Structures are given as structure tokens and as C-alpha cells.
């Protein structure tokens, strides 16, 4: 009973004699009115995606990308890669000291007591335990040797322990302290024995 036809809305197309607008197919969009067929809908651009019936593309969210046109949904970053930006066309390789699970927005740092010395790790299982004589802070790309006066007999530790009073260690990356020498004294964390002061002696 109508006397006029309506203009086909954005995001849709209307063939001759249409009784209803048909949405543009997934992977395409139409930003203006009056499309006559699916051919009048445009393919979604790279870095974007289009669900059906869209009047404009949507940017890919962080953790995904689109490197071709006409996608109905963006591609999730695979394990070992990440993407923190929106509207990306590729994912980045996971950096040293961290790992990236599928769809990662940022790299997760290897926990304290472990390190990641290769790029592209996909899980925490790829982080190595810190070796004895070293310490590894959170996100460490490599083990750090214990400083003189500090030791670490265990693996997988985030810090080194100071030599107790009466002991010392002059080298780096060691696992045990040495007894203080005769004629000297060693305070906690000593890197070398100190000679007894003038007028005093030590024979043990």
C-alpha cells in the first residue's frame, strides 16, 4: 500500500523489487545509501574486519591482525608472537626474556629465577632455570653471575646470598664461600679477608 520505495540503507543492498534490504556479506561493507547488489559493497581493508551488514570496517583489536582484504574476522597472533597495537597487519616476534601465548597483546616476562635467551618463546616452559652461581630477575634475557661476596648454590633463584660472617668469596659466579684466612677477619658479604689491625692477631 505504499506509494514510494525507500532507499536501501548503508551496510545493505537491494535488488530490483526488494521487499527488504539484504546485509552486505561478511568481509564487506557499504558506507553510503542505495546499493543495488552485493557488487556495490566494498571489501574490508587490510588491518580491518567486517561482520555482515557493516556500514564501516572495524580495526583489528590488539593481539590480532589482518594482512589481506575481505576478512570477516581478524587473525589471532600465534603463540610466540604478540601485537599491542590495534589495526595491525602483522604480529611481532616475542622478545628476549619473555614468552607469548596465542593472542598475546604483550609479552609475559619469564618469572624471577628463570631466563629467556631466545626470541619467539610460546610458553613459560621455554624459560630456562637460572643455573647455580647466578641469579635471574623477572624478565631476564640471560643469567647474571653472583658478585664477589655473594654466592648461590641452588638453581632457579632470583637473587644471590651474601657470605656469612667469617667467610668470603672473591670470585664471581660461585656457589660456596671460603673460610676466612688466619690473621684476617671477614664481615658478612666479604669479597676478601681483611688483615687484623696492628696490635691484634688471629690464629684460627
Amino acid at each position: 500500500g505504499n506509494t514510494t520505495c525507500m532507499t536501501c540503507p548503508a551496510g545493505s543492498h537491494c535488488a530490483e523489487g526488494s521487499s527488504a534490504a539484504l546485509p552486505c556479506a561478511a568481509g564487506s561493507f557499504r558506507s553510503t545509501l542505495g546499493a543495488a547488489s552485493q557488487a556495490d559493497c566494498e571489501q574490508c581493508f587490510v588491518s580491518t574486519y567486517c561482520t555482515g551488514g557493516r556500514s564501516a570496517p572495524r580495526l583489528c583489536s590488539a593481539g590480532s591482525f589482518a594482512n589481506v582484504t575481505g576478512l570477516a574476522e581478524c587473525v589471532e597472533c600465534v603463540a610466540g608472537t604478540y601485537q599491542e597495537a590495534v589495526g595491525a597487519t602483522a604480529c611481532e616476534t616475542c622478545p628476549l626474556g619473555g614468552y607469548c601465548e596465542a593472542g598475546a597483546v604483550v609479552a609475559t616476562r619469564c618469572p624471577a629465577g628463570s631466563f629467556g635467551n631466545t626470541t619467539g618463546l610460546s610458553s613459560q616452559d621455554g624459560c630456562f632455570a637460572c643455573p647455580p652461581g647466578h641469579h635471574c630477575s623477572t624478565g631476564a634475557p640471560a643469567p647474571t653471575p653472583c658478585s664477589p661476596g655473594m654466592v648461590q648454590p641452588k638453581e632457579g633463584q632470583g637473587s644471590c646470598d651474601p657470605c656469612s660472617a667469617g667467610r668470603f668469596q672473591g670470585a664471581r659466579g660461585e656457589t660456596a664461600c671460603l673460610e676466612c684466612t688466619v690473621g684476617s677477619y671477614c664481615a658478612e658479604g666479604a669479597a676478601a679477608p681483611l688483615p687484623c689491625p696492628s696490635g691484634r692477631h688471629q690464629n684460627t
Side-chain angles (χ1 to χ4, degrees):
N2 285 311
T3 58
T4 59
C5 294
M6 295 182 291
T7 303
C8 206
S12 305
H13 58 90
C14 305
E16 185 177 4
S18 294
S19 58
L22 295 177
C24 288
S28 65
F29 72 99
R30 172 75 183 196
S31 59
T32 57
L33 307 176
S37 69
Q38 174 62 39
D40 294 326
C41 299
E42 300 178 64
Q43 278 201 325
C44 220
F45 313 130
V46 295
S47 80
T48 68
Y49 71 102
C50 301
T51 54
R54 295 292 304 171
S55 60
R58 290 180 174 176
L59 289 172
C60 291
S61 60
S64 66
F65 71 99
N67 60 353
V68 295
T69 60
L71 290 184
E73 59 182 21
C74 296
V75 182
E76 183 180 66
C77 290
V78 299
T81 67
Y82 75 102
Q83 181 52 260
E84 58 186 338
V86 298
T89 57
C91 295
E92 306 289 339
T93 301
C94 209
L96 294 173
Y99 62 93
C100 302
E101 297 177 338
V105 176
V106 294
T108 301
R109 297 191 294 171
C110 290
S114 66
F115 66 99
N117 63 351
T118 58
T119 59
L121 296 182
S122 59
S123 72
Q124 187 176 325
D125 293 339
C127 301
F128 296 101
C130 209
H134 297 72
H135 67 94
C136 299
S137 58
T138 302
T144 301
C146 293
S147 301
M150 309 284 286
V151 294
Q152 183 49 261
K154 301 176 182 177
E155 75 170 9
Q157 301 301 305
S159 61
C160 297
D161 302 322
C163 291
S164 59
R167 302 177 72 82
F168 78 99
Q169 179 52 259
R172 293 169 56 85
E174 294 297 322
T175 60
C177 299
L178 306 173
E179 289 189 347
C180 208
T181 56
V182 173
S184 304
Y185 68 96
C186 300
E188 183 181 45
L194 293 176
C196 290
S198 179
R200 292 177 178 271
H201 72 96
Q202 171 60 266
N203 61 1
T204 61

